[in-house]
Amino acid sequence: MSEIPEGPHRVIGTPSPTPTAVDAPSSSSSAPAEPPAATDPPDTGHAKRAERLVAALFILAFVAGCGFLAAYVGLEVGQSDIPPGADAVVAALRSNLALGTSLSVALLALGTGSMIWVRHLTPNIEIEEQRHDLKSEPADRAAFQKEFAEGAAISQVTKRPMLRRTMLLATAPLALAPLFLLRDFGPLPGRSMRTTVWRKGLRAVVYGTNRPLRPSDMETPGSMITVIPEGYSDDADALAKAGVILIKFAPGELHVPTVHDGKTQLYGMNWTVDNIVAYSKICTHLGCPVALYEQTTHHILCPCHQSTFDATEGAKVVFGPAARPLPQLPLGTNSDGYLVALSDFTQPVGPSFWERG
Ligand code: FES
């Protein structure tokens, strides 16, 4: 292999600092006007106070840092230092509180001290940072081209076209493989994200017992019960979207009509039976089951991120990160007097998705 002539001298790592506007000589007449040289700010009473304050903050950071280490060693959870009978959860809380407090104080004091130092004790100057041209030198590029051509010649890839072409052919399927792997994402969802198994006439049965319900089974205003579509108690996929909460109101508590579009106001039919209203149990934020109902405020709460829905006004959002009301299931009764769905939900249940926005 032929010797590669030595290229231009290259510097690996950080180059030695280029003279800055602060310390560059001012011999060149074309150089930009220099800012005034850095000088220490006058050691006034203000500066002295700032210095003492910074020192105090750094000492506080030191003490808090030592406290963090002491808390870590002394309050270790699950070790023999926990007195007999003490609750392990309490011990963990105690340790977390001590660690969190000491670390917060240390970082806060350190950060505040540094900020005061920079703002009140350092000279107020502008510093220019010189940057090298990102493009390589012509000599560097020529050396690379020469080296590349030599490597290609040594590998015989230019001299043996059959090998070159078959090698490219061999890699073609691998290049296309990622496209085929997209299939593993499964079939396109179609309308499955917009629909549930609820349909007209399907009875609502109590989750856990599969008992169908009549309106008279929910006599007490303020009561809430979780129901599922009849016949789907073993279908986890269906239940992931079809869970519904029934809430009973006293006469006059529900705002009529009860359906909310999430943007403006209540609209549409009054889909309730005997002051019983049915909402999706799937939170419209990230899909947790909404499981808590406050009788006095008529609020439905999601335990995950505290989204709160007003059950008297179409489950519109009154607090939290959810962006849409809980969809309402049109509720009716069949000829036997059991509670049934009048249709599927008219809006997709659960979190927003790409097509819905
Ligand atoms: S999932 Fe309900 S508030 Fe986040």
Side-chain angles (χ1 to χ4, degrees), residues 283-288 290 302-307 309 321-322:
C283 180
T284 52
H285 177 222
L286 292 180
C288 286
V290 291
C302 176
C304 286
H305 312 102
Q306 284 72 53
S307 282
F309 307 88

